[in-house]
Amino acid sequence: MRLGLALGYWGRGPSADHVPLAREAERLGYDSVWTAESWGSDAFTPLTWIAAQTSRIKLGTAVAQMAARSPTTTAMHALTLDHLSGGRVMLGLGLSGPQVVEGWYGRPFPKSPLTATREYVDVVRQVLRREGPVELDGRFHSHPYRGADGTGLGKPLKPITHPPRARLPILLGAEGPKNIAQTTRIADGWLPLYWSPMRTEVYEASLGAAPEGFLVAPMARAKVCDDVAEGLLPVKAMLGFYIGGMGHAARNFHADLMGRMGFGEEARRIQELFLAGRREEAVRAVPDAFADEISLVGPRERIAERLELWRKGPVTDLLLLSPDRHTLRTLAALNEQPR
């Protein structure tokens, strides 16, 4: 199981520590570093900055939002950075949800998310293969554009720039069972939002047809500390926000996922409190058990024991949300120990 460093997206502004953390992760032998985006900073610019100041570590987006860019634009970002970094890019994509797609990007959320995702990946693959002009008569992505409001003058185009790799890895952030199953067919890997090594059966059917070499790369907040409850507070704060606020009360993919993982009643309560403006109560309502299952928190010995559970399942890459050098060093040492 490889280790990666997940830096997430910016808050009010950039962190001066992101590049030093990425360089430390590279020194420690981490395989990858990942950036994200929501409705603020983008994923590619910080990753390019990191690429310029590292030499070996792979560079991933977890995730770049599909609604933010046409698929050809995303492919241009990926092939450009792949050239500049010497072939280190891993392209993680996610559809996001209706609240963000329509509220921030001002676009309709696709009525058929699976079809929209499949078409998007198809176009990106065509650009990166560069075997011919990009053509797709799609429901959501047409190349050339054939809509009634078009000029009819569009022509199929082949990228001017030759991509350095025809098979740049594409990973998808998918949550629903059908979406995960499709991911095993059209992508090189999957970026789970929440992964519990104690509940791998939740994903067993969806991952049943995954080909050999398919990547499973969940994120997990990690913190070496004496007080487990205190160490879980950032995890609970994140869950309170995602379960309570990252989606509509009637359509929240994160809450649905928590329900499938056995915490449906708790997810509904978190939503109720968060949407009522009682955010601190929503965070306190997040079960410690759930927060603990999806993270690596506590003394070194406890983390060592729990790390074994992550290794036993299908996880190939563990992406650590940890702005703490001591934790990064500890996990690197534990992951290298003979088993």
Side-chain angles (χ1 to χ4, degrees), residues 194 229 232-245 258 263 265-271 273-274 278-295:
Y194 310 135
L232 287 175
L233 287 178
V235 185
K236 295 180 67 168
M238 175 272 294
L239 287 168
F241 176 62
Y242 273 72
I243 302 300
M258 187 175 172
F263 295 89
E265 185 176 336
E266 292 87 344
R268 286 189 292 274
R269 181 58 178 161
I270 294 167
Q271 279 188 293
L273 291 169
F274 194 96
R278 297 156 64 183
R279 297 192 175 191
E280 291 185 6
E281 290 181 64
V283 171
R284 289 197 296 271
V286 175
D288 283 359
F290 182 62
D292 196 25
E293 283 186 25
I294 65 170
S295 58

Side-chain angles (χ1 to χ4, degrees), residues 3 12 27 39 54 56 91 95 105 117 137 147 153 162 169 223 227 234 288 297 299 336:
L3 296 182
R12 297 183 67 175
R27 186 189 70 80
W39 51 90
T54 56
R56 178 199 57 78
L91 182 59
L95 198 59
Y105 294 113
T117 299
D137 186 14
L153 301 177
H162 291 229
K223 176 68 174 177
D227 190 330
D288 283 359
V297 172
E336 289 177 357

Side-chain angles (χ1 to χ4, degrees), residues 6-7 20 47-48 53 65 73 79 84 129 134 136 190 234 239 251-252 259 263 294 325-327 332:
L7 296 172
L47 204 60
T48 304
Q53 301 182 68
Q65 295 176 326
T73 307
L79 74 86
L84 295 174
R129 285 196 302 265
V134 177
L136 180 67
W190 173 44
L239 287 168
R251 194 170 189 186
N252 183 315
F263 295 89
I294 65 170
R325 286 165 176 74
H326 175 59
T327 298

Side-chain angles (χ1 to χ4, degrees), residues 58-106:
K58 294 173 187 172
L59 308 157
T61 56
V63 294
Q65 295 176 326
M66 296 183 203
R69 308 163 189 85
S70 71
T72 48
T73 307
T74 294
M76 288 165 64
H77 278 300
L79 74 86
T80 301
L81 182 52
D82 210 38
H83 266 294
L84 295 174
S85 66
R88 290 190 278 152
V89 171
M90 302 176 76
L91 182 59
L93 301 171
L95 198 59
S96 194
Q99 192 175 51
V100 174
V101 172
E102 298 184 2
W104 180 247
Y105 294 113

Side-chain angles (χ1 to χ4, degrees), residues 252-325:
N252 183 315
F253 301 139
H254 312 306
D256 293 344
L257 174 57
M258 187 175 172
R260 288 196 298 275
M261 296 179 75
F263 295 89
E265 185 176 336
E266 292 87 344
R268 286 189 292 274
R269 181 58 178 161
I270 294 167
Q271 279 188 293
E272 290 171 2
L273 291 169
F274 194 96
L275 295 174
R278 297 156 64 183
R279 297 192 175 191
E280 291 185 6
E281 290 181 64
V283 171
R284 289 197 296 271
V286 175
D288 283 359
F290 182 62
D292 196 25
E293 283 186 25
I294 65 170
S295 58
L296 286 161
V297 172
R300 177 189 173 106
E301 296 74 17
R302 185 177 194 266
I303 289 179
E305 292 177 2
R306 298 174 75 85
L307 189 62
E308 288 302 316
L309 297 175
W310 292 78
R311 287 196 186 106
K312 289 178 181 177
V315 173
T316 60
D317 297 78
L318 177 55
L319 313 184
L320 299 174
L321 286 156
S322 179
D324 170 20
R325 286 165 176 74

Side-chain angles (χ1 to χ4, degrees), residues 13-61:
S15 169
D17 208 28
H18 277 184
V19 168
L21 279 171
R23 295 179 71 173
E24 175 69 0
E26 182 174 68
R27 186 189 70 80
L28 291 168
Y30 278 61
D31 187 69
S32 56
V33 58
W34 302 74
T35 55
E37 60 189 11
S38 54
W39 51 90
S41 61
D42 77 282
F44 287 101
T45 309
L47 204 60
T48 304
W49 188 248
I50 291 168
Q53 301 182 68
T54 56
S55 60
R56 178 199 57 78
I57 197 165
K58 294 173 187 172
L59 308 157
T61 56

Side-chain angles (χ1 to χ4, degrees), residues 120-138:
Y120 198 103
V121 172
D122 186 349
V123 173
V124 172
R125 293 276 199 212
Q126 288 191 51
V127 174
L128 296 178
R129 285 196 302 265
R130 200 181 177 272
E131 294 174 346
V134 177
E135 292 190 80
L136 180 67
D137 186 14

